[in-house]
């Protein structure tokens, strides 16, 4: 149960980058690409 926050941290960070992109006027496809790239670099 203590490992859950450690597992969720990279996913939430990647989702944060995608949300900033979307709020800045970007498209959904670009946000998905940014999410995938951010997840790859967080490993």
């Amino acid at each position: 149960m203590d490992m859950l926050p450690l597992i969720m941290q990279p996913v939430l960070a990647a989702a944060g980058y995608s949300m900033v992109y979307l709020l800045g006027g970007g498209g959904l496809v670009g946000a998905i690409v940014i999410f995938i790239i951010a997840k790859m670099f967080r490993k």
Side-chain angles (χ1 to χ4, degrees):
M1 198 91 170
D2 293 332
M3 294 294 288
L4 186 61
L6 295 175
I7 294 170
M8 292 301 295
Q9 187 177 5
V11 173
L12 294 177
Y17 288 127
S18 296
M19 288 302 295
V20 168
Y21 179 76
L22 281 173
L23 291 174
L28 183 61
V29 175
I32 292 171
V33 170
I34 289 174
F35 176 78
I36 292 170
I37 291 172
K39 259 184 87 171
M40 285 180 3
F41 282 120
R42 293 286 176 181
K43 283 189 175 184

mmCIF file with all atom_site columns, all heavy atoms in Angstrom, residues 13-28:
data_model
loop_
_atom_site.group_PDB
_atom_site.id
_atom_site.type_symbol
_atom_site.label_atom_id
_atom_site.label_alt_id
_atom_site.label_comp_id
_atom_site.label_asym_id
_atom_site.label_entity_id
_atom_site.label_seq_id
_atom_site.pdbx_PDB_ins_code
_atom_site.Cartn_x
_atom_site.Cartn_y
_atom_site.Cartn_z
_atom_site.occupancy
_atom_site.B_iso_or_equiv
_atom_site.pdbx_formal_charge
_atom_site.auth_seq_id
_atom_site.auth_comp_id
_atom_site.auth_asym_id
_atom_site.auth_atom_id
_atom_site.pdbx_PDB_model_num
ATOM 1   N N   . ALA A 1 13 ? 2.589  13.251 -13.172 1.00 0.00 ? 13 ALA A N   1
ATOM 2   C CA  . ALA A 1 13 ? 3.474  14.263 -13.739 1.00 0.00 ? 13 ALA A CA  1
ATOM 3   C C   . ALA A 1 13 ? 3.286  14.335 -15.250 1.00 0.00 ? 13 ALA A C   1
ATOM 4   O O   . ALA A 1 13 ? 3.211  15.430 -15.827 1.00 0.00 ? 13 ALA A O   1
ATOM 5   C CB  . ALA A 1 13 ? 4.924  13.957 -13.397 1.00 0.00 ? 13 ALA A CB  1
ATOM 6   N N   . ALA A 1 14 ? 3.195  13.193 -15.911 1.00 0.00 ? 14 ALA A N   1
ATOM 7   C CA  . ALA A 1 14 ? 2.992  13.168 -17.357 1.00 0.00 ? 14 ALA A CA  1
ATOM 8   C C   . ALA A 1 14 ? 1.629  13.759 -17.717 1.00 0.00 ? 14 ALA A C   1
ATOM 9   O O   . ALA A 1 14 ? 1.501  14.492 -18.700 1.00 0.00 ? 14 ALA A O   1
ATOM 10  C CB  . ALA A 1 14 ? 3.114  11.738 -17.879 1.00 0.00 ? 14 ALA A CB  1
ATOM 11  N N   . ALA A 1 15 ? 0.614  13.469 -16.916 1.00 0.00 ? 15 ALA A N   1
ATOM 12  C CA  . ALA A 1 15 ? -0.712 14.027 -17.172 1.00 0.00 ? 15 ALA A CA  1
ATOM 13  C C   . ALA A 1 15 ? -0.703 15.538 -16.983 1.00 0.00 ? 15 ALA A C   1
ATOM 14  O O   . ALA A 1 15 ? -1.403 16.260 -17.690 1.00 0.00 ? 15 ALA A O   1
ATOM 15  C CB  . ALA A 1 15 ? -1.733 13.381 -16.249 1.00 0.00 ? 15 ALA A CB  1
ATOM 16  N N   . GLY A 1 16 ? 0.107  16.023 -16.056 1.00 0.00 ? 16 GLY A N   1
ATOM 17  C CA  . GLY A 1 16 ? 0.209  17.464 -15.824 1.00 0.00 ? 16 GLY A CA  1
ATOM 18  C C   . GLY A 1 16 ? 0.757  18.192 -17.038 1.00 0.00 ? 16 GLY A C   1
ATOM 19  O O   . GLY A 1 16 ? 0.247  19.244 -17.427 1.00 0.00 ? 16 GLY A O   1
ATOM 20  N N   . TYR A 1 17 ? 1.793  17.636 -17.670 1.00 0.00 ? 17 TYR A N   1
ATOM 21  C CA  . TYR A 1 17 ? 2.342  18.246 -18.880 1.00 0.00 ? 17 TYR A CA  1
ATOM 22  C C   . TYR A 1 17 ? 1.301  18.283 -19.991 1.00 0.00 ? 17 TYR A C   1
ATOM 23  O O   . TYR A 1 17 ? 1.177  19.266 -20.720 1.00 0.00 ? 17 TYR A O   1
ATOM 24  C CB  . TYR A 1 17 ? 3.576  17.475 -19.367 1.00 0.00 ? 17 TYR A CB  1
ATOM 25  C CG  . TYR A 1 17 ? 4.794  17.650 -18.501 1.00 0.00 ? 17 TYR A CG  1
ATOM 26  C CD1 . TYR A 1 17 ? 5.469  16.537 -18.008 1.00 0.00 ? 17 TYR A CD1 1
ATOM 27  C CD2 . TYR A 1 17 ? 5.266  18.910 -18.183 1.00 0.00 ? 17 TYR A CD2 1
ATOM 28  C CE1 . TYR A 1 17 ? 6.592  16.691 -17.214 1.00 0.00 ? 17 TYR A CE1 1
ATOM 29  C CE2 . TYR A 1 17 ? 6.384  19.077 -17.394 1.00 0.00 ? 17 TYR A CE2 1
ATOM 30  C CZ  . TYR A 1 17 ? 7.047  17.959 -16.914 1.00 0.00 ? 17 TYR A CZ  1
ATOM 31  O OH  . TYR A 1 17 ? 8.156  18.095 -16.132 1.00 0.00 ? 17 TYR A OH  1
ATOM 32  N N   . SER A 1 18 ? 0.532  17.223 -20.119 1.00 0.00 ? 18 SER A N   1
ATOM 33  C CA  . SER A 1 18 ? -0.504 17.165 -21.144 1.00 0.00 ? 18 SER A CA  1
ATOM 34  C C   . SER A 1 18 ? -1.591 18.202 -20.887 1.00 0.00 ? 18 SER A C   1
ATOM 35  O O   . SER A 1 18 ? -2.081 18.838 -21.814 1.00 0.00 ? 18 SER A O   1
ATOM 36  C CB  . SER A 1 18 ? -1.120 15.769 -21.201 1.00 0.00 ? 18 SER A CB  1
ATOM 37  O OG  . SER A 1 18 ? -0.152 14.832 -21.587 1.00 0.00 ? 18 SER A OG  1
ATOM 38  N N   . MET A 1 19 ? -1.961 18.372 -19.623 1.00 0.00 ? 19 MET A N   1
ATOM 39  C CA  . MET A 1 19 ? -2.998 19.351 -19.286 1.00 0.00 ? 19 MET A CA  1
ATOM 40  C C   . MET A 1 19 ? -2.529 20.775 -19.556 1.00 0.00 ? 19 MET A C   1
ATOM 41  O O   . MET A 1 19 ? -3.305 21.601 -20.044 1.00 0.00 ? 19 MET A O   1
ATOM 42  C CB  . MET A 1 19 ? -3.420 19.208 -17.817 1.00 0.00 ? 19 MET A CB  1
ATOM 43  C CG  . MET A 1 19 ? -4.247 17.965 -17.539 1.00 0.00 ? 19 MET A CG  1
ATOM 44  S SD  . MET A 1 19 ? -5.751 17.876 -18.528 1.00 0.00 ? 19 MET A SD  1
ATOM 45  C CE  . MET A 1 19 ? -6.634 19.275 -17.898 1.00 0.00 ? 19 MET A CE  1
ATOM 46  N N   . VAL A 1 20 ? -1.268 21.071 -19.265 1.00 0.00 ? 20 VAL A N   1
ATOM 47  C CA  . VAL A 1 20 ? -0.731 22.402 -19.552 1.00 0.00 ? 20 VAL A CA  1
ATOM 48  C C   . VAL A 1 20 ? -0.783 22.663 -21.052 1.00 0.00 ? 20 VAL A C   1
ATOM 49  O O   . VAL A 1 20 ? -1.148 23.749 -21.499 1.00 0.00 ? 20 VAL A O   1
ATOM 50  C CB  . VAL A 1 20 ? 0.715  22.532 -19.008 1.00 0.00 ? 20 VAL A CB  1
ATOM 51  C CG1 . VAL A 1 20 ? 1.391  23.780 -19.534 1.00 0.00 ? 20 VAL A CG1 1
ATOM 52  C CG2 . VAL A 1 20 ? 0.700  22.539 -17.492 1.00 0.00 ? 20 VAL A CG2 1
ATOM 53  N N   . TYR A 1 21 ? -0.445 21.657 -21.846 1.00 0.00 ? 21 TYR A N   1
ATOM 54  C CA  . TYR A 1 21 ? -0.494 21.785 -23.304 1.00 0.00 ? 21 TYR A CA  1
ATOM 55  C C   . TYR A 1 21 ? -1.927 22.041 -23.782 1.00 0.00 ? 21 TYR A C   1
ATOM 56  O O   . TYR A 1 21 ? -2.169 22.911 -24.621 1.00 0.00 ? 21 TYR A O   1
ATOM 57  C CB  . TYR A 1 21 ? 0.072  20.518 -23.951 1.00 0.00 ? 21 TYR A CB  1
ATOM 58  C CG  . TYR A 1 21 ? 0.041  20.540 -25.455 1.00 0.00 ? 21 TYR A CG  1
ATOM 59  C CD1 . TYR A 1 21 ? 0.969  21.287 -26.170 1.00 0.00 ? 21 TYR A CD1 1
ATOM 60  C CD2 . TYR A 1 21 ? -0.906 19.811 -26.162 1.00 0.00 ? 21 TYR A CD2 1
ATOM 61  C CE1 . TYR A 1 21 ? 0.942  21.311 -27.554 1.00 0.00 ? 21 TYR A CE1 1
ATOM 62  C CE2 . TYR A 1 21 ? -0.935 19.824 -27.531 1.00 0.00 ? 21 TYR A CE2 1
ATOM 63  C CZ  . TYR A 1 21 ? -0.011 20.579 -28.226 1.00 0.00 ? 21 TYR A CZ  1
ATOM 64  O OH  . TYR A 1 21 ? -0.033 20.604 -29.589 1.00 0.00 ? 21 TYR A OH  1
ATOM 65  N N   . LEU A 1 22 ? -2.876 21.296 -23.239 1.00 0.00 ? 22 LEU A N   1
ATOM 66  C CA  . LEU A 1 22 ? -4.274 21.480 -23.632 1.00 0.00 ? 22 LEU A CA  1
ATOM 67  C C   . LEU A 1 22 ? -4.792 22.852 -23.222 1.00 0.00 ? 22 LEU A C   1
ATOM 68  O O   . LEU A 1 22 ? -5.496 23.511 -23.993 1.00 0.00 ? 22 LEU A O   1
ATOM 69  C CB  . LEU A 1 22 ? -5.154 20.391 -23.011 1.00 0.00 ? 22 LEU A CB  1
ATOM 70  C CG  . LEU A 1 22 ? -5.139 19.034 -23.698 1.00 0.00 ? 22 LEU A CG  1
ATOM 71  C CD1 . LEU A 1 22 ? -5.927 18.027 -22.879 1.00 0.00 ? 22 LEU A CD1 1
ATOM 72  C CD2 . LEU A 1 22 ? -5.703 19.128 -25.094 1.00 0.00 ? 22 LEU A CD2 1
ATOM 73  N N   . LEU A 1 23 ? -4.461 23.297 -22.027 1.00 0.00 ? 23 LEU A N   1
ATOM 74  C CA  . LEU A 1 23 ? -4.921 24.604 -21.564 1.00 0.00 ? 23 LEU A CA  1
ATOM 75  C C   . LEU A 1 23 ? -4.281 25.734 -22.349 1.00 0.00 ? 23 LEU A C   1
ATOM 76  O O   . LEU A 1 23 ? -4.834 26.826 -22.446 1.00 0.00 ? 23 LEU A O   1
ATOM 77  C CB  . LEU A 1 23 ? -4.633 24.764 -20.069 1.00 0.00 ? 23 LEU A CB  1
ATOM 78  C CG  . LEU A 1 23 ? -5.471 23.878 -19.152 1.00 0.00 ? 23 LEU A CG  1
ATOM 79  C CD1 . LEU A 1 23 ? -4.992 24.016 -17.705 1.00 0.00 ? 23 LEU A CD1 1
ATOM 80  C CD2 . LEU A 1 23 ? -6.941 24.225 -19.251 1.00 0.00 ? 23 LEU A CD2 1
ATOM 81  N N   . GLY A 1 24 ? -3.112 25.474 -22.911 1.00 0.00 ? 24 GLY A N   1
ATOM 82  C CA  . GLY A 1 24 ? -2.430 26.474 -23.733 1.00 0.00 ? 24 GLY A CA  1
ATOM 83  C C   . GLY A 1 24 ? -2.971 26.539 -25.152 1.00 0.00 ? 24 GLY A C   1
ATOM 84  O O   . GLY A 1 24 ? -2.453 27.298 -25.962 1.00 0.00 ? 24 GLY A O   1
ATOM 85  N N   . GLY A 1 25 ? -3.973 25.752 -25.466 1.00 0.00 ? 25 GLY A N   1
ATOM 86  C CA  . GLY A 1 25 ? -4.592 25.817 -26.783 1.00 0.00 ? 25 GLY A CA  1
ATOM 87  C C   . GLY A 1 25 ? -4.181 24.686 -27.702 1.00 0.00 ? 25 GLY A C   1
ATOM 88  O O   . GLY A 1 25 ? -4.508 24.704 -28.883 1.00 0.00 ? 25 GLY A O   1
ATOM 89  N N   . GLY A 1 26 ? -3.461 23.706 -27.187 1.00 0.00 ? 26 GLY A N   1
ATOM 90  C CA  . GLY A 1 26 ? -3.028 22.578 -28.010 1.00 0.00 ? 26 GLY A CA  1
ATOM 91  C C   . GLY A 1 26 ? -4.158 21.596 -28.252 1.00 0.00 ? 26 GLY A C   1
ATOM 92  O O   . GLY A 1 26 ? -5.212 21.659 -27.629 1.00 0.00 ? 26 GLY A O   1
ATOM 93  N N   . GLY A 1 27 ? -3.918 20.681 -29.151 1.00 0.00 ? 27 GLY A N   1
ATOM 94  C CA  . GLY A 1 27 ? -4.934 19.692 -29.500 1.00 0.00 ? 27 GLY A CA  1
ATOM 95  C C   . GLY A 1 27 ? -4.808 18.420 -28.686 1.00 0.00 ? 27 GLY A C   1
ATOM 96  O O   . GLY A 1 27 ? -3.829 18.202 -27.963 1.00 0.00 ? 27 GLY A O   1
ATOM 97  N N   . LEU A 1 28 ? -5.793 17.576 -28.826 1.00 0.00 ? 28 LEU A N   1
ATOM 98  C CA  . LEU A 1 28 ? -5.851 16.329 -28.062 1.00 0.00 ? 28 LEU A CA  1
ATOM 99  C C   . LEU A 1 28 ? -4.746 15.365 -28.491 1.00 0.00 ? 28 LEU A C   1
ATOM 100 O O   . LEU A 1 28 ? -4.130 14.722 -27.651 1.00 0.00 ? 28 LEU A O   1
ATOM 101 C CB  . LEU A 1 28 ? -7.227 15.682 -28.240 1.00 0.00 ? 28 LEU A CB  1
ATOM 102 C CG  . LEU A 1 28 ? -7.475 14.406 -27.448 1.00 0.00 ? 28 LEU A CG  1
ATOM 103 C CD1 . LEU A 1 28 ? -7.363 14.697 -25.952 1.00 0.00 ? 28 LEU A CD1 1
ATOM 104 C CD2 . LEU A 1 28 ? -8.830 13.838 -27.767 1.00 0.00 ? 28 LEU A CD2 1
#
